[in-house]
Amino acid sequence: MTDMLSDPTPDRFWSRPFGKVLAGMLLPLLFATVFPLAFVTAMHAPQPHDAQIVIVGPDAVVSQLAGRLDRTSEFTVTHTDVASETTDALTQRRADGVIQVTPGSAEPATAAGAAAGPVAPAPAYTVTTYVAGANGRTLATAVTALGRQVATAYGAPAPAVKDVVPLFAQDASGTNLLLLLTYTSLAAYLTVVVMSKIWAGARLRTRLLAAALAAVIAPLIAFGLSAIFAGDYGASFQTILALLAANSLVVFTTAVAAILIDQLFGEAILVGVMVFLVFLNFPSSGGGSPVAMLPPFWQFVHNMYFGSAGLELFRSIVYFGGNGIGRWIGQLVIWSVTLLLLTLLLELNQLVGRQRQRIAELTALPSPGSPQSAAHRRTIIVQPLVAAAGAQYSPMTHKEQTR
Amino acid sequence: MSDTSTISHKAPRHTAGSAATPASAVPRKVLIKRIAITAVVPLFFLSACILCFVSALHSPAPHHLALTIAGPEQVTSQLATDLDKHVSNGFDVAQTTNPAQAHDDVADRTSIGGLAVEGNQVTVYKASAAGQADASVVENVGDRVAARLGTAATVRDVAPLPADDPLGIALFYFLAACTIASFLPITIILQALCLGRVCTRS
């Protein structure tokens, strides 16, 4: 009976063993090609693309340099003479790096001197580079390198580098939040994939319940286990609760996305999961390479996808005291709600389709009294009614079924 | 085995004409088994991945990093002692009086890094292609030694990374893709041809 229900056209090519193997080969082929393409194109050679830089210093001194840097594709530069911006712009997540140019003991540069450009600078300047290590090491390295260039342009000594938002000591590589995102997401979509394989008839509410349970349990286990090695980021209890709540939202969103993929892709759920929840999700997250160091395509994905929203939310909560969470919460919630609505709409659409087909089958019933009629009525009328009433449905005999 | 108690990836999906199997229509034993599998598989992968990856990657630090220090015996002994004091078991130091040995050991991968101290000149030999984190540690050690001598270290990269792979990650992703893409077909063939356990049971 199982075979008949799941395989109504047994003569089809894709239902035969060779066809199944051939179809099955698509996934490894997809993996072998798209996996390196996605991750390597995103991360192999991090270069700043429109990295937000603030240059702090007297307008007459820094405006020309800021304008020149702003015209490059690598940096988007603003300048200010407000000294507190050296730290505020970074801690509030408004900038990727800050460079402060301070006139030294010598006379400040005149407007005419500044107009001559940084290629012929006054000698007595000090340059200080401010970075946020929590935003990613490659970004900090790029900002540090820019600081050195600026110092050279002003004839200043090698700049001091100050990390305004350093990484937690036990998260020295800055990968822990990415691992948290990656493996709790894995738990989310694996729950749905396993259900689709062993419990294909599970109702939508059962799947959503499983997604909700995964959203509660996976973050607790992931954070608990990672804390054994990586500690708790030195964070307060409230911060950890906020991190777990954000992670729960990410897990639920990912699981709902997997349910939607299951509805759309059916047996090819793994292909959809790989493409939408792995290959697009993780390289663009900003965890492996900070968003300012990603190529433009991946920056675009980062700015609209839910995995990136999750990772930036984690960063804001753990390292930036909650600064900048509004945008990322919004991005994540929009995805959660949209995916949930699409899932419900699709389920409703499929339900209507099934009911229409039943009505069509009812109207095409064989003449009353015939053996076919009895079997048919039992299939399309009795089974759903009995099942709906919560009773154990007694399946048809093989004899009835094969008539 | 009744049809409703079958655990199979070929069980009826939400397709037209086939109603979803309500939980109440499934024997309790089968339902419990389904719930258990649905819970255990993700939990296993979640726990195993977190344990393996976080424990390996969370805080890279040198552990028995092979380092060749070349220079006068008195200097190299002092440096070896200081390194051991600074990071216990962090470095396995090989000492030599031949400055070229520091380069050669890195080039033939006997050591991860090399330091050659000649007078107050410090030359650091690193191999970025052997790992950026290792190279960074070696360079850091060289800078400290040079700072102590009141000079700046000269850094030579014995095996630099190509310009289009400055982080050296391409080989890692190549390995990962090859590995996964090699066991995935076997798994799929076993499932497709009903040799896998879940499939056999249907």
Side-chain angles (χ1 to χ4, degrees):
Chain A
M1 182 176 174
T2 304
D3 282 339
M4 285 190 67
L5 283 171
S6 63
D7 192 6
T9 52
D11 292 335
R12 283 170 53 195
F13 171 78
W14 297 108
S15 302
R16 294 174 186 166
F18 181 71
K20 283 181 180 178
V21 170
L22 207 60
M25 288 298 104
L26 289 176
L27 184 63
L29 196 63
L30 179 87
F31 199 92
T33 51
V34 183
F35 176 81
L37 273 179
F39 282 86
V40 174
T41 56
M43 291 185 251
H44 76 289
Q47 294 290 328
H49 291 98
D50 286 324
Q52 304 286 325
I53 302 294
V54 175
I55 296 185
V56 177
D59 186 62
V61 175
V62 300
S63 60
Q64 192 176 9
L65 173 72
R68 196 180 67 177
L69 289 174
D70 193 43
R71 284 191 289 276
T72 66
S73 62
E74 293 165 298
F75 303 104
T76 298
V77 180
T78 55
H79 65 90
T80 177
D81 56 2
V82 180
S84 61
E85 278 294 282
T86 50
T87 53
D88 290 352
L90 286 167
T91 56
Q92 293 170 14
R93 306 204 72 182
R94 288 185 279 107
D96 297 312
V98 177
I99 295 167
Q100 185 178 32
V101 181
T102 312
S105 54
E107 281 185 28
T110 61
V119 286
Y125 292 97
T126 54
V127 174
T128 310
T129 306
Y130 295 84
V131 298
N135 271 333
R137 295 176 100 184
T138 53
L139 179 58
T141 304
V143 175
T144 303
L146 178 67
R148 280 199 296 268
Q149 287 176 27
V150 171
T152 304
Y154 281 98
V161 180
K162 294 184 179 175
D163 194 344
V164 178
V165 191
L167 286 162
F168 182 52
Q170 285 170 288
D171 181 25
S173 59
T175 56
N176 288 359
L177 293 178
L178 174 65
L179 295 177
L180 190 67
L181 173 81
T182 304
Y183 296 118
T184 51
S185 298
L186 177 139
Y189 61 71
L190 213 51
T191 301
V192 177
V193 169
V194 170
M195 282 189 89
S196 80
K197 297 297 177 192
I198 67 161
W199 197 351
R203 288 171 181 243
L204 180 62
R205 68 180 176 209
T206 311
R207 290 165 192 238
L208 289 176
L209 178 65
L213 285 173
V216 173
I217 295 167
L220 287 172
I221 291 177
F223 184 82
L225 287 177
S226 68
I228 295 170
F229 307 101
D232 59 1
Y233 304 96
S236 66
F237 182 66
Q238 286 87 345
T239 302
I240 292 170
L241 274 185
L243 175 66
L244 292 175
N247 200 359
S248 289
L249 187 56
V250 171
V251 172
F252 184 73
T253 308
T254 308
V256 174
I259 293 170
L260 183 64
I261 289 168
D262 185 36
Q263 289 174 321
L264 293 171
F265 285 68
E267 290 291 331
I269 179 176
L270 272 175
V271 173
V273 162
M274 285 292 139
V275 171
F276 294 104
L277 304 185
V278 177
F279 300 148
L280 278 177
N281 207 21
F282 299 136
S284 68
S285 68
S289 185
V291 60
M293 305 296 283
L294 287 171
F297 168 75
W298 289 108
Q299 285 186 335
F300 169 75
V301 180
H302 178 95
N303 288 328
M304 47 80 72
Y305 223 52
F306 54 88
S308 51
L311 189 101
E312 296 298 352
L313 195 51
F314 295 172
R315 266 191 187 141
S316 280
I317 290 168
V318 170
Y319 285 116
F320 292 89
N323 287 327
I325 59 170
R327 180 255 165 100
W328 303 112
I329 286 181
Q331 189 165 318
L332 193 53
V333 168
I334 287 171
W335 271 102
S336 306
V337 173
T338 306
L339 288 168
L340 196 56
L341 285 176
L342 283 175
T343 306
L344 292 172
L345 282 174
L346 208 60
E347 177 73 3
L348 191 65
N349 183 49
Q350 287 174 349
L351 184 67
V352 170
R354 283 198 297 271
Q355 285 177 338
R356 280 187 180 151
Q357 180 154 347
R358 276 179 208 155
I359 291 167
E361 286 169 348
L362 275 170
T363 56
L365 268 178
S367 60
S370 70
Q372 287 85 355
S373 170
H376 202 165
R377 278 201 304 277
R378 194 168 183 180
T379 305
I380 65 173
I381 301 171
V382 180
Q383 180 178 3
L385 289 176
V386 172
Q392 174 68 51
Y393 172 64
S394 173
M396 289 179 291
T397 63
H398 182 71
K399 193 177 172 185
E400 280 178 308
Q401 197 187 105
T402 50
R403 272 177 193 159
Chain B
M1 183 185 281
S2 72
D3 291 326
T4 48
S5 65
T6 301
I7 296 179
S8 166
H9 72 285
K10 296 196 295 183
R13 303 188 62 81
H14 294 280
T15 50
S18 67
T21 310
S24 55
V26 178
R28 188 183 177 80
K29 194 177 165 187
V30 174
L31 190 63
I32 290 171
K33 196 177 284 183
R34 284 176 178 176
I35 292 170
I37 293 172
T38 302
V40 166
V41 174
L43 280 178
F44 168 75
F45 280 100
L46 173 68
S47 307
C49 288
I50 287 285
L51 285 173
C52 295
F53 283 85
V54 175
S55 66
L57 304 177
H58 75 285
S59 185
H63 292 98
H64 298 285
L65 188 151
L67 186 69
T68 299
I69 301 179
E73 197 176 334
Q74 194 182 347
V75 174
T76 57
S77 304
Q78 184 63 44
L79 285 175
T81 308
D82 288 352
L83 278 173
D84 193 48
K85 207 180 289 177
H86 184 63
V87 187
S88 182
N89 295 322
F91 299 91
D92 287 344
V93 176
Q95 299 173 45
T96 175
T97 53
N98 178 12
Q101 190 70 37
H103 170 278
D104 294 346
D105 280 0
V106 177
D108 63 20
R109 306 197 73 181
T110 305
S111 289
I112 299 293
L115 296 182
V117 183
E118 296 172 278
N120 66 347
Q121 297 297 309
V122 178
T123 307
V124 178
Y125 295 101
K126 65 175 186 177
S128 297
Q132 284 281 51
D134 287 344
S136 175
V137 168
V138 172
E139 201 174 331
N140 196 19
V141 170
D143 284 342
R144 283 168 184 260
V145 171
R148 188 190 288 181
L149 296 174
T151 183
T154 304
V155 180
R156 299 218 171 126
D157 200 339
V158 176
L161 286 160
D164 53 1
D165 183 25
L167 299 181
I169 61 163
L171 288 178
F172 168 74
Y173 285 111
F174 180 61
L175 173 75
C178 288
T179 306
I180 297 171
S182 60
F183 70 71
L184 219 50
I186 304 301
T187 311
I188 289 168
I189 288 169
L190 289 176
Q191 290 291 317
L193 296 181
C194 293
L195 299 173
R197 189 158 180 257
V198 173
C199 209
T200 309
R201 291 173 67 176
S202 69

